[in-house]
């Protein structure tokens, strides 16, 4: 049965991808990468607590650190990174000056540093915790996302079709990548990157730096997370789906689950076996249970407007959603009665 599901899912996605390329005129190159849906004004009150970020900049990129208990969120116009402590209590927000607006964020490890990128200055930015000390490394053209594994940081250079490999504060290698590498993540010692123009998932061995494979990734993939189960989970924003891939020894599509509403931001809680995915068209975030095949949908929760990114603290289980429209950070505990979720 599992083999049949894999074959059916692979055939369906390959067909959708081929149709999309033909419709968009693939003879002139790949179609434009997918963007999140344009969210309407919320019709439901967001669950939990909503913090207004100083300056009211466009909030996008969020992490939650289980070691220090800090969360971090970035804003554009004004360009800043904010460290947040005790968001469900007497919240304190501290601004960290950075050279340019961050886009996405990851933790190199519990306790930091935070990894983010400055797309317009071609920098990998590292922010130590809890002190907020900033350092940067010049990488490739228009770096979009960064992930750490095997003692290295891998940066997807979206404008250069490369991956910069950073070690000891310098670029030790530059790897070729499919067109427009966007979201990047690690599962063990395998690095996976979503090429948002070429619509593929490419994987690399983090030790040898060899590319281990490439596979189609739906009709409009955007973001990716790696599980400790040897898998990658990808939001197919145009295809309204979550795709599940085996990471290695070569990447392969395992299964998919439908999720309407232009899914975009994605986070994984490996401790609890949960995925959190935002529906940008609907101002919602959806909780999934990780299973042997497709994730199982559990509950949905109303969010702030334009929920482009989401994070989860594996220690507390708190969920953080960055609202780009009004510069907001939403925090809620899924275990509390007032966060019971909806359909």
């Amino acid at each position: 049965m599992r083999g049949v599901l894999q074959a059916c899912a692979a055939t369906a996605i390959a067909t959708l991808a081929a149709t999309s390329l033909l419709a968009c005129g693939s003879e002139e190159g790949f179609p434009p990468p997918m963007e999140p849906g344009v969210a309407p004004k919320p019709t439901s009150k967001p669950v939990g607590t909503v913090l207004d970020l100083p300056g009211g900049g466009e909030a996008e990129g969020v992490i939650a650190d289980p070691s220090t208990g800090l969360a971090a969120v970035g804003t554009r116009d004004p360009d800043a990174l904010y460290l947040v402590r005790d968001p469900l209590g007497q919240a304190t927000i501290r601004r960290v000056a950075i050279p340019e607006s961050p886009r996405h964020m990851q933790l190199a490890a519990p306790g930091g540093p935070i990894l983010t990128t400055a797309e317009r200055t071609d920098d990998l930015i590292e922010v130590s915790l809890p002190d907020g000390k900033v350092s940067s490394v010049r990488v490739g053209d228009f770096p979009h996302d960064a992930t750490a594994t095997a003692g290295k940081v891998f940066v997807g250079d979206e404008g250069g079709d490369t991956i910069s490999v950073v070690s000891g504060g310098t670029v030790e290698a530059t790897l070729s990548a499919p067109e427009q590498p966007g979201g990047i993540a690690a599962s063990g010692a395998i690095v996976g990157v979503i090429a948002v123009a070429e619509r593929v998932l490419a994987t690399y061995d983090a030790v040898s730096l060899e590319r281990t494979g490439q596979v189609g990734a739906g009709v409009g993939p955007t973001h990716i997370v790696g599980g400790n189960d040897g898998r990658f989970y990808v939001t197919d924003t145009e295809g309204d789906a979550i795709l599940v891939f085996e990471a290695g020894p070569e990447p392969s599509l395992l299964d998919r689950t439908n999720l309407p509403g232009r899914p975009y931001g994605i986070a994984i809680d490996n401790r609890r076996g949960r995925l959190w995915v935002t529906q940008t068209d609907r101002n919602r975030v959806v909780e999934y249970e990780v299973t042997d095949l497709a994730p199982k949908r559990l509950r949905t929760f109303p969010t702030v407007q334009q929920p482009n990114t989401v994070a989860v603290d594996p220690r507390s289980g708190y969920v953080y959603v960055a609202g780009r429209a009004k510069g907001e950070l939403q925090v809620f505990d899924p275990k509390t009665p007032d966060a019971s979720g909806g359909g």
Side-chain angles (χ1 to χ4, degrees), residues 49 51 69-71 84-92 318 320 331:
T49 298
L51 303 176
L70 291 170
V84 182
R85 185 180 296 278
D86 191 22
L88 293 180
Q90 299 297 318
T92 59
Y318 293 175
Y320 296 76
V331 191

Side-chain angles (χ1 to χ4, degrees), residues 26 34 36 58 71 114 135 142 153 155 207 223 225 234 240 242 273 276 311 322:
S26 60
M34 291 301 104
E58 299 173 348
I114 298 169
S135 60
F142 210 74
V153 177
V155 184
V207 178
H223 296 107
V225 292
V234 173
D240 282 341
I242 303 168
W276 293 90

Side-chain angles (χ1 to χ4, degrees), residues 15 23 39 80 95 97 100 112 115 123-125 151 155 186 196 216 227 232 244 254 256 258 267 297-298 300 319 331:
T15 302
R95 185 180 187 274
E100 202 257 332
L115 304 176
D123 287 319
L124 165 68
I125 298 174
V155 184
V196 294
F232 289 116
V244 185
L254 174 63
R256 75 189 299 276
N258 293 330
R297 181 169 173 153
L298 299 178
T300 79
V319 178
V331 191

Side-chain angles (χ1 to χ4, degrees), residues 95-114:
R95 185 180 187 274
V96 175
I98 54 175
E100 202 257 332
S101 59
R103 182 68 181 274
H104 297 290
M105 295 185 192
Q106 295 190 38
L107 280 172
I114 298 169

Side-chain angles (χ1 to χ4, degrees), residues 6-337:
Q6 288 176 306
C8 290
T11 301
I13 289 179
T15 302
L16 285 169
T19 302
S20 175
L21 289 174
L22 287 172
C24 295
S26 60
E27 292 181 356
E28 297 179 1
F30 297 110
M34 291 301 104
E35 297 294 339
V38 178
K41 291 184 178 180
T43 57
S44 300
K45 181 181 178 181
V47 297
T49 298
V50 175
L51 303 176
D52 294 323
L53 298 171
E58 299 173 348
E60 189 165 15
V62 60
I63 61 92
D65 176 39
S67 181
T68 63
L70 291 170
V73 60
T75 64
R76 183 185 300 267
D77 298 327
D79 298 345
L81 185 149
Y82 296 97
L83 298 180
V84 182
R85 185 180 296 278
D86 191 22
L88 293 180
Q90 299 297 318
T92 59
I93 302 175
R94 178 160 64 97
R95 185 180 187 274
V96 175
I98 54 175
E100 202 257 332
S101 59
R103 182 68 181 274
H104 297 290
M105 295 185 192
Q106 295 190 38
L107 280 172
I114 298 169
L115 304 176
T116 189
T117 58
E119 293 174 325
R120 291 175 288 189
T121 60
D122 299 336
D123 287 319
L124 165 68
I125 298 174
E126 297 190 9
V127 181
S128 63
L129 296 176
D131 58 7
K133 183 179 179 181
V134 176
S135 60
S136 62
V137 178
R138 184 60 54 87
V139 289
D141 183 24
F142 210 74
H144 182 81
D145 199 3
T147 196
T149 187
K152 306 178 183 72
V153 177
F154 294 80
V155 184
D157 305 317
E158 189 174 3
D161 300 337
T162 58
I163 295 173
S164 295
V165 183
V166 178
S167 179
T170 62
V171 177
E172 71 168 32
T174 302
L175 314 178
S176 64
E179 189 166 332
Q180 279 193 262
I184 191 168
S187 179
I190 300 294
V191 174
V193 62
I194 291 296
V196 294
E198 201 161 335
R199 273 72 168 169
V200 298
L201 165 66
T203 56
Y204 301 79
D205 185 302
V207 178
S208 69
L209 305 184
E210 296 293 326
R211 190 186 299 194
T212 57
Q214 180 173 307
V215 64
V219 296
T222 52
H223 296 107
I224 180 173
V225 292
N228 59 9
D229 53 2
R231 293 176 181 172
F232 289 116
Y233 298 87
V234 173
T235 49
D236 184 356
T237 301
E238 177 69 9
D240 282 341
I242 303 168
L243 310 180
V244 185
F245 295 88
E246 296 282 7
E250 295 182 0
S252 61
L253 177 68
L254 174 63
D255 210 343
R256 75 189 299 276
T257 188
N258 293 330
L259 179 57
R262 291 185 77 86
Y264 194 70
I266 184 169
I268 190 165
D269 182 347
N270 283 302
R271 180 177 296 184
R272 294 171 181 79
R274 294 291 187 267
L275 281 174
W276 293 90
V277 187
T278 66
Q279 294 171 292
T280 51
D281 267 0
R282 301 186 179 187
N283 296 317
R284 309 285 294 190
V285 63
V286 186
E287 179 187 13
Y288 282 90
E289 178 184 1
V290 174
T291 72
D292 289 340
L293 293 170
K296 178 183 177 181
R297 181 169 173 153
L298 299 178
R299 299 177 294 173
T300 79
F301 301 86
T303 69
V304 288
Q305 188 176 359
Q306 199 63 59
N308 282 7
T309 45
V310 60
V312 58
D313 183 340
R315 182 176 63 177
S316 65
Y318 293 175
V319 178
Y320 296 76
V321 180
R324 178 163 178 152
K326 297 181 180 179
E328 299 169 310
L329 178 64
Q330 175 186 1
V331 191
F332 68 92
D333 182 352
K335 299 187 299 295
T336 59

